[in-house]
Amino acid sequence: MLASMNPFQHIDTPENLTQVLALAHAESMPVCTSGSLATYIPALSSANPNALGLALCTDEGQIFQTGQADCRFSMQSISKVFALAYVMAELGEEAVFSRVGKEPTGDPFNSIIRLETSARRKPFNPFINAGAIVISDLMPGTTPADKAAGFQRFVGSLVGRTDVEQDDSVYVSEKASAARNRAIAWFLKELGLISGEVEDTLDTYFRQCATLVDALDLARAGACLALDGVHPLSGKRALPENCAHTVKSLMVTCGLYDGSGEFAVSVGIPAKSGVGGGIMAAVRDRMGIGVYGPALDGHGNSAAGLWALGILSRQLDLRVL
Ligand code: GLN
């Protein structure tokens, strides 16, 4: 559909995409050993640190994959992109951005410090934990399970399947070990930014973070963002255009936390990571990319995944910044 408008058609041939994906996988595998698994959520420490899966979904819905692209893992912070899009689509931009800003922090994802020191007294953006917990509080529904079910249906509409669910062991594990997120949430309550019960809001947040996807899912959802909300498989609109624009802009400035600036310079595409090892990227009008590599760098981003995205960006001329 959009292929005729795509000036990169000559690079995006099936042969070239297959070859470049294989190259990126082979050259990034050794980088797995430079990272380490997230252990602060105990259930995440049982992943295979040498796993690496890559998937691409083109603007026409063609899928390419290599390695453990169909291995399911918890979305963790990638859920913050879906949650922002979901709540914006349901409640509008004003409901969201009256409570959360649009600015990067340069701080780690779980930092609490600016909630107290900033004159604005609201989280800087929806992709740090503080901002994401405010978004979880806004989700439509009654109980945390009900809110999470609505969220998972929405995720399903973007990844292209109807059986999206959470990993209960990851959910239970994070809920039992989330002292810092509890501190953040109570601070938000004091600021008047959480209307529900703090423990319920956190429960919704832990459920959304435990939502299971694979790299193929992330590639399809990334492609939907790349097409400004039109789904590459159905050709139908799955997300309002303004929601797609807003989440992609924030992915550029805040998607990899305090690694966002470095990634914008070295890779140059909108992306969002999670401590489960996933990265979702969206390349305007061309493709979505999904990555799974649970060994993380010091910022909590997939070490081999970042390396692979750098190779894909250079080989396929993906840079949009
Ligand atoms: N659930 C994780 C947390 O709140 C998500 C963090 C992440 O993926 N960066 O700490």
Side-chain angles (χ1 to χ4, degrees), residues 40-41 44 75-80 109-110 127 129 133 174 178 181 205-206 209-210 257 272-277 299-301:
Y40 77 100
I41 299 173
L44 297 183
M75 293 175 116
Q76 299 300 334
S77 280
I78 301 172
S79 71
K80 296 168 180 171
F109 61 84
N110 57 1
F127 294 166
N129 288 9
I133 291 169
E174 178 161 22
N181 280 331
Y205 173 74
F206 301 141
C209 288
Y257 318 109
K272 182 77 201 79
S273 62
V275 292
H299 301 295
N301 300 321

Side-chain angles (χ1 to χ4, degrees), residues 31-39 44-45 49 275 293-298 300-303:
V31 182
C32 292
T33 55
S34 75
S36 35
L37 297 171
T39 51
L44 297 183
S45 61
V275 292
L296 309 176
D297 72 6
N301 300 321
S302 170

Side-chain angles (χ1 to χ4, degrees), residues 250-252 254-256 263 269-273 279-282 309:
L250 289 167
M251 284 161 78
V252 170
C254 315
L256 282 85
F263 184 79
I269 53 179
K272 182 77 201 79
S273 62
I279 305 178
M280 173 172 71
L309 285 170

